[in-house]
């Protein structure tokens, strides 16, 4: 399955761009369409994104304690978001960045809002809340400093991906998230996005009952399932390899211990054995840093594991929109049949109303005229509903497919880069192993 998109830069790197002036932030009229959703007209203005106007980074993480909503003590992590307008950087000034703290749950709220408001966009995923696919020596504690650091990098990557998207980056709620420490939640809830959220039950019902879904979306849904499956298998294989590598490297520590103890009883060979032991000890100790670096590559793969669900969400929205169109069309056809039967007096289908008419006689002309008038009104409303649902469905298909192509291009670039870097790291690791044994060989030759 092939598609095409623009790719933000790698996670963890600070991004530079142009200034965010108050007047450069889209006005309400630019951001809100007539139906209350965000307008995408801003994206056409030279392709300007928030990332081109503002430097964004998640600078650090901090552990805090406090009481939750049910007044119970809890420990949680907050992340420091720093932003700086780019005109100052371009002019050679270096002002202190604006900063605020956000919890992971606030990032989740922002993403939920974006998913509901922009159902045709493959919204970037958040980093995992708890570690998955870990090798057994790695801590799965979500308060572990190494895990928190990797999640900090992932949250920064999320913000950069959103801020570099032509549509998402011009959302005023995103700007509030980055610049307003207090009152942000209230602003989000005031949008009423929760009322627009589709229930899982409705989406599931549409999946099984829709008749004419777009084949491209069916293929994309199948592709997302395969992407998730293959990425999961790759991550599991990497975890198993990490376990084996850890064991192999640590066993070299036994070489070091044996060589060091042996050197104590050898007069002529002692120095060589001692030096070889030092090389083995250093090699055994290096695996911790190597596998920690590997986790960053694993996190890049995990991002696309979670992207699979974002793809499916867009496909589910198409199914739901198409199903609503089909239901509206069927309802309109049914009402037109009722009008025809009422106007001609010929009942072509069995109905309770038709049976009662046969048993108790036809209804009065006045009643018949009133029913006809009501049906005409309902048919007019039904025709309007079908037109509205048709336009909504066509718009979703058009916009969604554009964004899916953007995502595909981004995915190809990111995964190619991640896998190449992973291969380079493995080659470098093997070269270090060869160098260690070459050094040990030199030590043995000097004995």
């Amino acid at each position: 399955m092939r598609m095409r998109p623009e790719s933000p830069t790698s996670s963890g790197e600070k991004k530079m761009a142009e200034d965010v002036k108050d007047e450069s932030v889209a006005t309400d009229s630019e951001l809100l369409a007539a139906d209350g959703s965000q307008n995408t007209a801003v994206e056409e203005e030279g392709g300007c994104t928030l990332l081109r106007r503002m430097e964004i980074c998640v600078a650090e993480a901090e552990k805090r304690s406090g009481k939750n909503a049910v007044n119970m003590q809890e420990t949680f992590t907050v992340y420091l978001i720093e932003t700086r307008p780019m005109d100052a950087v371009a002019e050679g000034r270096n002002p202190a960045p604006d900063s605020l703290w956000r919890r992971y749950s606030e990032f989740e709220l922002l993403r939920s809002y974006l998913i509901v408001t922009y159902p045709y966009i493959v919204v970037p995923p958040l980093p995992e809340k708890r570690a998955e696919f870990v090798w057994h020596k790695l801590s799965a504690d979500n308060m572990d400093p190494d895990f928190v650091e990797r999640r900090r990098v992932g949250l920064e990557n999320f913000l950069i991906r959103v801020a570099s998207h032509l549509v998402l980056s011009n959302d005023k709620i995103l700007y509030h998230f980055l610049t307003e420490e207090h009152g942000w939640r209230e602003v989000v809830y005031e949008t009423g996005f929760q009322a627009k959220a589709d229930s899982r039950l409705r989406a599931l019902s549409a999946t099984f009952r829709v008749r004419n879904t777009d084949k491209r979306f069916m293929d994309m849904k199948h592709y997302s399932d395969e992407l998730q499956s293959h990425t999961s298998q790759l991550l599991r294989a990497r975890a198993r390899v990490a376990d084996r590598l850890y064991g192999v490297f640590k066993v070299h520590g036994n070489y070091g211990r044996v060589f060091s103890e042996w050197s104590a009883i050898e007069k002529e060979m002692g120095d060589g054995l001692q030096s070889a032991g030092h090389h083995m000890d250093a090699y055994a100790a290096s695996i911790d840093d190597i596998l920690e670096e590997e986790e960053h590559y694993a996190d890049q793969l995990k991002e696309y594991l979670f992207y699979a669900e974002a793809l499916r969400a867009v496909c589910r929205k198409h199914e739901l929109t198409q199903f609503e169109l089909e239901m509206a069309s069927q309802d309109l056809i049914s009402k037109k049949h009722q009008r025809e039967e009422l106007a001609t007096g010929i009942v072509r289908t069995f109905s309770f109303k038709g049976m009662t008419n046969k048993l108790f006689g036809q209804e009065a002309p006045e009643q018949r005229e009133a029913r006809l008038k009501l049906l005409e009104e309902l048919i007019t409303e039904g025709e309007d509903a079908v037109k509205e649902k048709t336009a909504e469905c066509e718009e979703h298909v058009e916009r969604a497919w554009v964004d899916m192509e953007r995502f595909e291009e981004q995915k190809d670039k990111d995964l190619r880069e991640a896998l190449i870097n992973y291969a380079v790291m493995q080659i470098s690791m093997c070269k270090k192993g060869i160098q260690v044994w070459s050094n040990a060989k030199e030590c043995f030759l000097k004995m």
Side-chain angles (χ1 to χ4, degrees), residues 9-15 57-58 152-154 156-157 160:
T9 52
S10 302
S11 63
E13 298 178 349
K14 294 185 179 180
K15 306 302 186 284
C57 76
V58 179
R152 179 199 66 77
V153 171
E156 180 176 284
N157 185 58
I160 287 167

Side-chain angles (χ1 to χ4, degrees), residues 59-70:
E60 61 180 275
E62 182 179 289
K63 187 184 295 185
R64 292 184 182 176
S65 296
K67 292 188 176 181
N68 58 21
V70 293

Side-chain angles (χ1 to χ4, degrees), residues 87-154:
D87 64 341
V89 177
E91 293 170 7
R93 295 181 283 115
N94 191 28
D98 295 324
S99 60
L100 49 80
W101 295 92
R102 295 286 186 215
R103 293 185 61 171
Y104 184 88
S105 59
E106 293 182 274
F107 283 87
E108 289 181 309
L109 179 58
L110 172 64
R111 186 170 184 272
S112 297
Y113 161 79
L114 294 175
I115 289 172
V116 173
T117 309
Y118 304 96
Y120 54 89
I121 287 177
V122 184
V123 178
L126 292 169
E128 57 190 348
K129 195 164 188 176
R130 287 176 176 77
E132 299 179 27
F133 303 102
V134 297
W135 51 285
H136 76 279
K137 292 292 183 182
L138 189 69
S139 173
D141 180 11
N142 64 345
M143 290 295 177
D144 179 74
D146 291 332
F147 173 74
V148 170
E149 169 58 20
R150 292 201 314 278
R151 190 161 68 177
R152 179 199 66 77
V153 171

Side-chain angles (χ1 to χ4, degrees), residues 433-447:
I434 293 172
Q435 187 60 50
V436 164
W437 282 101
S438 296
N439 292 338
K441 178 183 174 182
E442 292 297 322
C443 295
F444 298 150
L445 289 172
K446 293 177 182 177
M447 290 191 304

Side-chain angles (χ1 to χ4, degrees), residues 22-264:
D22 290 341
E23 60 269 25
S24 69
V25 178
T27 62
D28 289 352
S29 60
E30 291 172 321
L31 291 164
L32 296 175
D35 63 353
S37 62
Q38 303 294 333
N39 191 353
T40 60
V42 190
E43 67 181 284
E44 302 299 332
E45 299 177 5
C48 187
T49 65
L50 183 62
L51 197 60
R52 293 184 61 82
R53 307 190 301 266
M54 175 186 282
E55 180 187 74
I56 302 170
C57 76
V58 179
E60 61 180 275
E62 182 179 289
K63 187 184 295 185
R64 292 184 182 176
S65 296
K67 292 188 176 181
N68 58 21
V70 293
N71 205 34
M72 295 186 65
Q73 196 71 16
E74 66 172 345
T75 301
F76 54 89
T77 305
V78 290
Y79 300 88
L80 180 65
I81 300 175
E82 293 185 347
T83 57
R84 185 172 6 221
M86 287 308 301
D87 64 341
V89 177
E91 293 170 7
R93 295 181 283 115
N94 191 28
D98 295 324
S99 60
L100 49 80
W101 295 92
R102 295 286 186 215
R103 293 185 61 171
Y104 184 88
S105 59
E106 293 182 274
F107 283 87
E108 289 181 309
L109 179 58
L110 172 64
R111 186 170 184 272
S112 297
Y113 161 79
L114 294 175
I115 289 172
V116 173
T117 309
Y118 304 96
Y120 54 89
I121 287 177
V122 184
V123 178
L126 292 169
E128 57 190 348
K129 195 164 188 176
R130 287 176 176 77
E132 299 179 27
F133 303 102
V134 297
W135 51 285
H136 76 279
K137 292 292 183 182
L138 189 69
S139 173
D141 180 11
N142 64 345
M143 290 295 177
D144 179 74
D146 291 332
F147 173 74
V148 170
E149 169 58 20
R150 292 201 314 278
R151 190 161 68 177
R152 179 199 66 77
V153 171
L155 291 173
E156 180 176 284
N157 185 58
F158 165 75
L159 289 180
I160 287 167
R161 288 205 187 277
V162 172
S164 63
H165 192 285
L166 286 174
V167 179
L168 301 180
S169 66
N170 287 289
D171 188 290
K172 69 174 184 178
I173 296 297
L174 171 64
Y175 186 71
H176 281 307
F177 178 87
L178 295 170
T179 58
E180 303 291 335
E181 183 159 15
H182 303 291
W184 175 78
R185 285 179 177 271
E186 290 74 14
V187 173
V188 178
Y189 291 129
E190 283 173 6
T191 64
F193 81 96
Q194 292 171 303
K196 302 175 188 176
D198 299 317
S199 71
R200 285 280 181 175
L201 189 59
R202 285 182 64 218
L204 185 63
S205 175
T207 297
F208 290 106
R209 296 172 65 189
V210 69
R211 296 177 181 176
N212 300 310
T213 188
D214 192 313
K215 184 179 183 301
R216 294 175 300 174
F217 285 87
M218 293 175 64
D219 292 341
M220 182 51 58
K221 195 173 182 181
H222 178 65
Y223 168 78
S224 67
D225 291 337
E226 290 189 329
L227 175 63
Q228 185 176 42
S229 174
H230 295 323
T231 309
S232 297
Q233 292 175 33
L234 187 59
L235 287 165
R236 288 191 187 97
R238 190 211 68 88
R240 291 196 298 269
V241 170
D243 277 327
R244 292 185 182 184
L245 276 176
Y246 185 84
V248 169
F249 271 68
K250 288 303 182 183
V251 165
H252 280 71
N254 293 339
Y255 279 127
R257 177 180 56 79
V258 171
F259 286 151
S260 296
E261 292 176 356
W262 192 4
S263 69

